[in-house]
Amino acid sequence: MPETRVFAIANQKGGVGKTTTTINLAACLASAGRKTLVIDLDPQSNTTTGFGVDPHRVGLSIYELLVNDAVKVGDVLKTDLRPNLSLLPAKVDLYAADIELVYLDQREFRLKRILESVRGQFDFVLIDCPPSLGLLTVNALTAANGVILPLQCEYFALEGMQQLLNTIRLVRDRLNPNVSLFGVVLTMYDPRTRLAAEVVDEITQHFPREKFETLIPRNVRLSEAPSFGLTILEHDQRSPGALAYSKLAEEVIARAAATEDTHA
Ligand code: ATP
Ligand code: MG
């Protein structure tokens, strides 16, 4: 049986497409028949909302799981999100976790421990990280075997990258030898501008092996979908955004299979 692949969708820069990528890549992996778990690790709870789940009504959430040993994954896991799709939802309490975790035992390993009890049930786990490099993101990197890095096609896309790459290296050296940069996905690509082409060139030079072929276009359907609580496949299956995320899912599946042995 292929092993579960756990990806942290991370970039400490805000608004680069982490949540949009988490929701729609997960939807496309699930639609391709892969059992997928989404973990909303961002107190903004945009992934939770984006799937049409009201964070005010989730009851127990990833926050309680992280800070309270008495809470079990089964108490929080929503297995009926969509076919092949489960969710560990977030709510605004999670803002407190970055501070509370500091005082807990094994503070960097809390999410890894949570995952251990369920990971065998899934082919893919996608963790939507907050726009920071605090303990929540460190927990995601410690639990993951790969990072998927969304970069917005704009000037300064690579600004701040060194801190993120350093954080990944630190986590690899001290907490999780398995974690590495699995892929870089370019988001909000506008083929009409020369700037976009230049940014693509620059990122290709920086990440020749990691960059995915698929470019996620700027597409209004992608930005509308979460306001209806829908994935792009449900909102407009024929939109350029839906086609792009489906292609990205194929690339992720192929790359995961190609690198399987190295993660055994
Ligand atoms: P944060 O750091 O705040 O968590 P994020 O990195 O998760 O942000 P998103 O929330 O996915 O970024 O995207 C930021 C904004 O850009 C959102 O309004 C989203 O709808 C929009 N957006 C993301 N990707 C696209 C796209 N390909 N086309 C059009 N709009 C997009
Ligand atoms: Mg987000």
Side-chain angles (χ1 to χ4, degrees):
M1 200 181 80
E3 49 155 348
T4 307
R5 297 300 284 270
V6 181
F7 296 127
I9 318 292
N11 186 338
Q12 82 274 26
K13 216 181 229 196
V16 298
K18 292 180 290 293
T19 298
T20 306
T21 297
T22 303
I23 293 174
N24 295 305
L25 177 58
C28 293
L29 290 170
S31 143
R34 302 309 193 279
K35 291 203 163 41
T36 303
L37 168 63
V38 175
I39 302 179
D40 190 353
L41 205 61
D42 184 350
Q44 298 179 91
S45 314
N46 292 337
T47 292
T48 301
T49 316
F51 278 114
V53 175
D54 182 350
H56 300 291
R57 292 169 176 235
V58 291
L60 293 173
S61 68
I62 187 75
Y63 165 72
E64 286 84 0
L65 262 180
L66 285 167
V67 301
N68 184 345
D69 290 334
V71 176
K72 300 295 169 222
V73 186
D75 303 332
V76 180
L77 190 67
K78 292 190 160 300
T79 51
D80 57 350
L81 190 66
R82 304 288 195 279
N84 291 330
L85 257 187
S86 299
L87 173 70
L88 288 173
K91 57 185 177 189
V92 70
D93 309 38
L94 193 56
Y95 275 114
D98 246 339
I99 298 150
E100 288 180 37
L101 281 170
V102 173
Y103 302 102
L104 297 179
D105 257 8
Q106 300 269 301
R107 58 189 182 189
E108 298 95 348
F109 294 90
R110 309 292 291 193
L111 185 63
K112 185 184 170 80
R113 272 220 323 244
I114 292 167
L115 265 179
E116 248 139 41
S117 58
V118 289
R119 55 185 290 155
Q121 300 168 34
F122 299 101
D123 299 306
F124 290 100
V125 178
L126 301 187
I127 309 168
D128 186 21
C129 294
S132 75
L133 294 172
L135 261 177
L136 285 171
T137 296
V138 168
N139 262 268
L141 297 177
T142 304
N145 19 60
V147 176
I148 294 179
L149 167 64
L151 287 178
Q152 189 179 343
C153 288
E154 55 161 20
Y155 270 125
F156 310 123
L158 290 167
E159 198 185 48
M161 259 331 87
Q162 213 44 52
Q163 286 107 295
L164 178 62
L165 296 177
N166 285 345
T167 304
I168 296 174
R169 203 166 303 132
L170 246 131
V171 169
R172 188 167 54 220
D173 289 349
R174 300 192 185 166
L175 303 167
N176 173 15
N178 295 322
V179 72
S180 60
L181 183 60
F182 178 79
V184 173
V185 55
L186 275 70
T187 65
M188 297 181 239
Y189 174 71
D190 183 348
R192 292 166 305 184
T193 67
R194 233 182 62 203
L195 166 64
E198 285 171 21
V199 174
V200 173
D201 278 352
E202 192 191 356
I203 292 170
T204 309
Q205 279 173 25
H206 263 84
F207 299 108
R209 281 177 307 144
E210 293 87 354
K211 185 184 130 302
F212 289 109
E213 286 294 313
T214 310
L215 304 172
I216 307 298
R218 186 175 280 285
N219 177 210
V220 68
R221 305 305 251 171
L222 283 169
S223 54
E224 293 167 356
S227 63
F228 301 108
L230 298 175
T231 71
I232 193 62
L233 296 182
E234 297 158 340
H235 182 50
D236 186 349
Q237 203 180 1
R238 291 167 198 269
S239 62
L243 297 177
Y245 274 110
S246 300
K247 272 187 59 192
L248 180 66
E250 285 171 23
E251 269 195 80
V252 167
I253 290 168
R255 194 178 287 187
T259 54
E260 180 116 314
D261 290 339
T262 61
H263 287 82

